[in-house]
Amino acid sequence: MEGSSVAGSQDGQIASPRRAPSQQRSRERVERMLAAASALIAEQGSDAMRMGEVAERAGVSIGSLYQFFADKRAIIWALAERYTAESQACIAAALAQVSDAEGLRRAFSELVDIYYGLFLAEPVMRDIWSGTQADKALRELELADSRANAEFLTAVLKRLRPAADPATLETTALLIWQMGEATMRLAISVGRKEGDDLVAAYKRIALRELLDQQAGPCNVG
Amino acid sequence: MEGSSVAGSQDGQIASPRRAPSQQRSRERVERMLAAASALIAEQGSDAMRMGEVAERAGVSIGSLYQFFADKRAIIWALAERYTAESQACIAAALAQVSDAEGLRRAFSELVDIYYGLFLAEPVMRDIWSGTQADKALRELELADSRANAEFLTAVLKRLRPAADPATLETTALLIWQMGEATMRLAISVGRKEGDDLVAAYKRIALRELLDQQAGPCNVG
DNA sequence: TTGCAAATGCGAGGATTACTCATGTTTGTG
DNA sequence: CACAAACATGAGTAATCCTCGCATTTGCAA
C-alpha cells in the first residue's frame, strides 16, 4: 500500500530487514526477481520454488536476491500484497455505487464471478491462498485482507439498513466474505462443473442473507 | 480406517512405504512417536516440528522414526487421520437419528458446538487444518473428509426432502459443511467473543438454508 | 574531472534439517 | 537352538536456505 514493494519477513521473530531499491537499475532487477518467482510458483507451487532458481531465472545472483528480500516468504508476501491490493481496488469499485437491494444483488453477483475468474486464472494467487501458506504472517495478511474486503460489504449493508445493529452487520459481512473465499478454494479443487454449481449455490445463500438481513428465518417453526 | 495407523506419503510421487509395527514393543514405540509429534505440534506448530526432536522426545532413534513413517508428512497425516476418524464417528452419530426439521435444527446446532469446541481445544487439529498444510495430500484428505461429513448431511436432507434434486442437495450439503470449516478457522483466529458471534451467525445462515431448502428467497425481487 | 561514500552485485561457504543405509540387536517360530 | 524377519541405531548424505566479506557501480559534491 504505502510504496513498500519490498518487505522483511516475520514469524514472531523479526528477520533482518532488507534494503529497498533506490536506483532504477535495482528496481528493474527486483521486478525481474518477482516475475521469476511468480512464474516458478505458477509452474510448481510456492513450496517447490527454489531461491537459487528464482535468482537464476531472474538473471541475478543469489546474493542480490537476498539483498532485497529477507527470506523466501518475503517474496511470496510481496506477490500476495500485489494481488490483494489489486483485488481490493476492484471490490471497492464494484460496491461503492450500490444504493439499493437490486444494485447489491447485481454488484455482488458480478463480484463473485470476477473473484472466481481470478482464482481460476491466476495460479500464483491460487497457490498462495489455497493452503500453501505454511506461514503465520501470510495468514494474517489474508485475514487483514478479508476484513478490508468485508468492510466494503459492511458499508453497503449499513447504507441499506441503517436501523440494524452495526456490529451484527460487520459480523455478517465478514462471515459472508470468508465463506466466499472458502467456496472459491473448494470450487477450484473440484471439477469445473461442480465448482460452478458450488459458486452458484454460494451466491444464492449469500444473497439471501445479504438482502434479507433484518428478517428472521422464513417459514421455520 | 482399515487398521492402517501408519502411512507412506505421496505428493504425486510415491515415497518408499514403511513397515507397519507387528510387535507389541514397536506398536508402543510408534504410539510414543505420535504422542511426541502431537505435543511438539501443539507447542510450536507442525512447521517448526523437527524430526530429530520427535525422535528424542519419544525416546527412539531417528532411524526408528523413519522405520515407521516415510517422511515428516506421514506423521502429520497419521495424526490427522485419527482426528478425522474420530470426528466422523461423532458426526454420524449426531445426524443418524434425525427425522424431522426440528430434529435437524437441534442436531446441527449441537454438532457445530462440538466441532467448535474441538477446534478450540485441540491445538494439533487446529494447526493441521488451519493453514499449515503446505501439502497436497493433506488437502486432499481434508477434502475427502469434508465430502464424507457432508454425506451425512446429504442423507438427512434426502430423508427430509425426498422430492428435491439429489445433486442439488449434495452440493448444498458440501457447501454448508465447507462454510462451517471456514467459519471455524476464522473464529479461532479472531478473539473469543467475535469467534462466538461468527459461529452463531453461521448456525443461523446454515440452518436457514438447510430448513428452507425447497423455497426460493423469501421476499426478494 | 575526480574522489568518495553509499548502493548494488556477487557466489563460495556455513548452518540446518529431512532422510538413508550399513550394521547390530531382539523376537517369534520351526 | 537355529535362523529369518522384524526392529533399532546414529553417523553420514544431500538438499536448501541464507550469510558475509569483498568487488563493482552509481550518485554527487568539491
Side-chain angles (χ1 to χ4, degrees), chain A residues 55-216:
Chain A
E56 188 184 16
R57 200 177 280 211
V60 304
S61 70
I62 184 70
S64 290
L65 191 54
Y66 279 94
Q67 190 125 49
F68 299 101
F69 298 97
D71 53 28
K72 184 175 173 176
R73 296 175 307 163
I75 292 189
I76 298 169
W77 173 287
L79 289 173
E81 259 188 337
R82 294 195 167 186
Y83 282 111
T84 60
E86 197 178 323
S87 61
Q88 266 185 37
C90 154
I91 292 156
L95 292 179
Q97 307 295 341
V98 171
S99 62
D100 61 2
E102 185 52 32
L104 176 55
R105 171 190 291 279
R106 277 215 315 276
F108 184 80
S109 177
E110 184 189 2
L111 199 56
V112 170
D113 289 338
I114 292 174
Y115 233 72
Y116 185 36
L118 226 71
F119 264 86
L120 282 174
E122 288 289 350
V124 178
M125 188 176 181
R126 196 158 69 213
D127 178 275
I128 291 173
W129 288 152
S130 271
T132 312
Q133 13 151 344
D135 190 313
K136 208 171 184 180
L138 256 186
R139 266 181 282 160
E140 274 161 21
L141 175 61
E142 190 182 12
L143 178 56
D145 186 46
S146 275
R147 279 197 193 280
N149 292 332
E151 198 63 34
F152 297 122
L153 212 50
T154 307
V156 173
L157 288 178
K158 281 181 179 168
R159 281 208 298 279
L160 295 189
R161 311 198 180 284
D165 173 36
T168 302
L169 293 183
E170 275 160 26
T171 299
T172 302
L174 181 56
L175 189 57
I176 294 282
W177 194 265
Q178 193 77 4
M179 284 175 166
E181 290 181 347
T183 304
M184 302 293 170
R185 277 194 289 268
L186 178 59
I188 61 177
S189 65
V190 301
R192 181 61 199 266
K193 162 127 187 32
E194 192 183 5
D196 290 354
D197 288 347
L198 285 164
V199 171
Y202 164 71
K203 263 195 204 175
R204 188 171 46 76
I205 295 174
L207 276 171
R208 177 189 280 195
E209 186 65 21
L210 289 173
L211 298 176
D212 195 34
Q213 183 65 34
Q214 82 292 1

Side-chain angles (χ1 to χ4, degrees), chain B residues 95-112:
Chain B
L95 292 180
Q97 307 294 341
V98 171
S99 61
D100 60 2
E102 185 52 31
L104 176 56
R105 171 189 291 279
R106 279 213 315 276
F108 185 81
S109 177
E110 185 189 0
L111 198 57
V112 170

Side-chain angles (χ1 to χ4, degrees), chain B residues 4-149:
Chain B
S4 70
S5 70
V6 170
S9 78
Q10 62 244 66
D11 71 329
Q13 308 307 321
I14 298 174
S16 55
R18 291 304 141 98
R19 193 191 305 276
S22 71
Q23 304 175 357
Q24 185 63 24
R25 170 181 55 146
S26 49
R27 266 192 295 272
E28 284 164 1
R29 299 179 110 237
V30 166
E31 278 310 308
R32 288 215 307 279
M33 297 173 201
L34 286 171
S38 179
L40 285 169
I41 291 174
E43 288 167 21
Q44 320 164 353
S46 58
D47 209 51
M49 179 189 86
R50 305 294 164 217
M51 294 301 269
E53 210 175 346
V54 173
E56 188 185 16
R57 200 178 281 211
V60 304
S61 70
I62 184 69
S64 290
L65 192 54
Y66 279 95
Q67 191 125 51
F68 299 101
F69 298 97
D71 52 30
K72 184 174 175 177
R73 295 176 306 164
I75 293 189
I76 298 169
W77 173 288
L79 288 173
E81 258 188 338
R82 294 194 166 186
Y83 282 110
T84 60
E86 198 179 322
S87 61
Q88 266 186 35
C90 154
I91 291 157
L95 292 180
Q97 307 294 341
V98 171
S99 61
D100 60 2
E102 185 52 31
L104 176 56
R105 171 189 291 279
R106 279 213 315 276
F108 185 81
S109 177
E110 185 189 0
L111 198 57
V112 170
D113 290 338
I114 292 174
Y115 232 72
Y116 186 37
L118 226 71
F119 263 86
L120 281 173
E122 289 289 350
V124 178
M125 189 174 182
R126 197 158 68 214
D127 176 276
I128 292 174
W129 288 152
S130 272
T132 311
Q133 13 152 342
D135 191 313
K136 207 171 183 180
L138 256 186
R139 266 182 283 159
E140 275 161 21
L141 175 61
E142 189 183 13
L143 178 57
D145 186 47
S146 275
R147 281 198 193 279
N149 292 332

